[in-house]
Amino acid sequence: MRAHKIEVDGISLYSESFGFPGDPPILLIMGATASGIWWPESFCRLLADAGRYVIRYDHRDTGRSTFYPPGTNNYSVEDLADDAVRILRSHGIGSAHFVGMSLGGFLAQLVALKNADNVRSLTLIASERLADADNGMPSMDPAILDYHRHAGEMEWTDRKAAVAYQVGARRLLSGSAHEFDEAATRELAGVEFDRAASPASMFNHASLAGGEEWFGRLDEISTPTLIIHGTDDPVLPYAHGLALKAAIRDSTLLTLKGTGHELHSEDWPAIIQAIEKHTAS
């Protein structure tokens, strides 16, 4: 693994790469409030072993990238999408296969519209359409919102409490297909805390807005697109995956039965095989 940090346009962005730089590049984009470590190192190495050059990175307000005081709103959804392109350019890469999870998939769609030449293919995991809110679509499990209402009561400098909070939050995202892996989640949550300059700043993502100029334009995407969605997703229920497939022409859907809003290790073989095939050409 090689660490890489850049200072560009007044911000710092931290990334890590795996594999041989001459292989087809894959840029992994994680979801809201999550740094790049939630693409576990072993997952990244499996992709690299499949002949891909893999890059994961920390969004602003997560990990080792630029952070702002909790409760501030210094950037937009479009700024985060532009960060993905900044990461690519900092690695000397003109275009890559984009793999995004949740918000990461939303950002990848935006890049595919705004900077199509930078995107060789899209893989959208547990994601929703880049579109206006649709009241006809099923909403997030209320238990998740109720849980996070207590975030403001947390002492985010307390490692033990912060890790426990993350474990509880991730447990709510799990589906019925696999047993929740508390040990692995606790380990990643500890790494997340230790590398974050300001753990509480991740909740600045809750006020993200912008990108409306690109909403409702998914029919313009001609980039080869793979959609991966679990049938037990409590954040973006399965209907969102179906709607995404309907919106992007010629896209392919891989359904993970019983999987939640998670990157569970027992799903890795199916996910990695699908990504390897999708990024082969």
Side-chain angles (χ1 to χ4, degrees):
M1 181 178 70
R2 293 169 295 277
H4 183 68
K5 191 166 188 177
I6 59 167
E7 306 287 336
V8 58
D9 299 328
I11 59 171
S12 299
L13 293 172
Y14 177 82
S15 63
E16 294 167 339
S17 58
F18 305 80
F20 175 58
D23 285 338
I26 288 179
L27 182 68
L28 301 175
I29 311 175
M30 191 31 76
T33 75
S35 73
I37 63 100
W38 292 99
W39 299 104
E41 183 172 338
S42 49
F43 177 89
C44 296
R45 293 194 183 280
L46 286 170
L47 272 178
D49 289 344
R52 302 294 181 266
Y53 181 55
V54 180
I55 300 168
R56 67 179 185 180
Y57 71 98
D58 296 343
H59 291 300
R60 304 187 203 192
D61 279 323
T62 73
R64 294 171 177 160
S65 289
T66 283
F67 70 93
Y68 305 95
T72 59
N73 184 2
N74 292 70
Y75 51 88
S76 68
V77 165
E78 195 163 348
D79 291 325
L80 290 188
D82 291 343
D83 286 349
V85 177
R86 291 182 176 104
I87 291 289
L88 278 190
R89 290 173 178 165
S90 75
H91 284 265
I93 297 171
S95 65
H97 300 282
F98 278 54
V99 178
M101 182 166 184
S102 194
L103 173 67
F106 196 82
L107 299 176
Q109 295 168 60
L110 203 161
V111 177
L113 287 168
K114 184 178 179 182
N115 302 94
D117 290 344
N118 295 123
V119 185
R120 300 187 191 184
S121 74
L122 291 172
T123 298
L124 311 174
I125 305 173
S127 298
E128 64 181 323
R129 293 167 297 171
L130 182 67
D132 290 315
D134 183 348
N135 292 331
M137 297 294 288
S139 58
M140 183 186 301
D141 185 337
I144 297 172
L145 296 175
D146 289 343
Y147 184 88
H148 287 295
R149 286 194 180 99
H150 299 288
E153 303 167 12
M154 278 280 301
E155 177 50 69
W156 286 99
T157 60
D158 182 337
R159 187 182 193 276
K160 183 178 179 180
V163 168
Y165 185 95
Q166 285 275 35
V167 171
R170 297 277 167 174
R171 188 186 300 277
L172 289 173
L173 305 185
S174 62
S176 62
H178 316 296
E179 183 177 353
F180 176 66
D181 192 339
E182 180 172 342
T185 304
R186 186 172 299 279
E187 181 179 358
L188 283 175
V191 174
E192 175 93 294
F193 180 88
D194 293 340
R195 72 190 272 159
S198 175
S201 294
M202 64 181 174
F203 290 106
N204 289 339
H205 288 184
S207 59
L208 276 172
E212 291 85 357
E213 175 188 353
W214 305 98
F215 287 5
R217 295 171 58 177
L218 294 182
D219 59 340
E220 298 176 26
I221 292 180
S222 58
T223 305
T225 302
L226 169 65
I227 296 160
I228 301 176
H229 216 102
T231 59
D232 280 9
D233 191 324
V235 176
L236 293 167
Y238 185 59
H240 289 270
L242 296 176
L244 192 52
K245 184 183 186 309
I248 301 178
R249 65 179 181 273
D250 299 325
S251 57
T252 301
L253 173 64
L254 171 61
T255 297
L256 300 177
K257 293 184 179 180
T259 293
H261 199 77
E262 56 188 330
L263 195 68
H264 198 285
S265 60
E266 292 182 21
D267 286 325
W268 291 1
I271 292 172
I272 289 172
Q273 182 180 37
I275 293 174
E276 181 182 2
K277 179 180 178 181
H278 185 60
T279 58
S281 57

